[in-house]
Amino acid sequence: MRLQSDHTIARDSRTACEWQSFVDNQPKAQAMFQFVFHDLSTLGQDINSLVDCTEVVPIPAPPQGHTHFPAGLTNKDIEQACAETPFPTLPTDPGPATAVAPVPKPNRK
C-alpha cells in the first residue's frame, strides 16, 4: 500500500533525500514522525483545549529483521528521486511475485 502523500513527499526534490534516509532506519523515521505528527495533529486547533493522552499510546515493538522488497520487486522498480545518494541495495524475498488485488473504484452517480 502506498499513500499518495508519501508518494509525493518521496519524489519532491526538497524532501526526497531525507525520505530515502528512512529506508531500513526505523528509529530515525519514528523520531522524525513524532514531530511531524504533532504539528499536523494541532494544525487548526486550539492546543489549550486539547487533552494529552499520549500515555495510552503503546510503544511499538522494535523492528524485526531488515527492510526488503517483496518477491518479484528489485531496486530496478524504484523511482529514484534523490539525486545526491543512490537508493540502498535491498534484498528481495524469494518466491513468486507478490500479488495484490486491485482496489475497486467506487461507483459515482
Side-chain angles (χ1 to χ4, degrees):
M1 180 175 85
R2 176 172 66 188
L3 300 175
Q4 184 60 41
S5 59
D6 290 353
H7 177 271
T8 303
I9 292 169
R11 281 149 191 81
D12 187 291
S13 61
R14 297 167 294 178
T15 54
C17 292
E18 181 69 17
W19 190 260
Q20 181 178 293
S21 74
F22 298 148
V23 173
D24 209 25
N25 193 344
Q26 186 171 348
K28 180 179 181 182
Q30 287 174 312
M32 295 301 294
F33 182 79
Q34 70 181 351
F35 299 113
V36 172
F37 188 77
H38 174 269
D39 290 350
L40 288 174
S41 66
T42 59
L43 188 65
Q45 302 295 322
D46 173 6
I47 61 171
N48 295 317
S49 68
L50 299 176
V51 176
D52 182 2
C53 58
T54 54
E55 69 274 359
V56 300
V57 177
I59 296 172
Q64 301 295 313
H66 291 280
T67 305
H68 52 98
F69 289 112
L73 296 177
T74 68
N75 273 64
K76 293 177 185 176
D77 296 296
I78 294 296
E79 296 174 29
Q80 179 68 27
C82 175
E84 300 166 15
T85 309
F87 195 85
T89 301
L90 302 174
T92 297
D93 291 341
T98 304
V100 178
V103 176
K105 294 184 179 187
N107 292 332
R108 300 210 171 157
K109 296 180 182 183

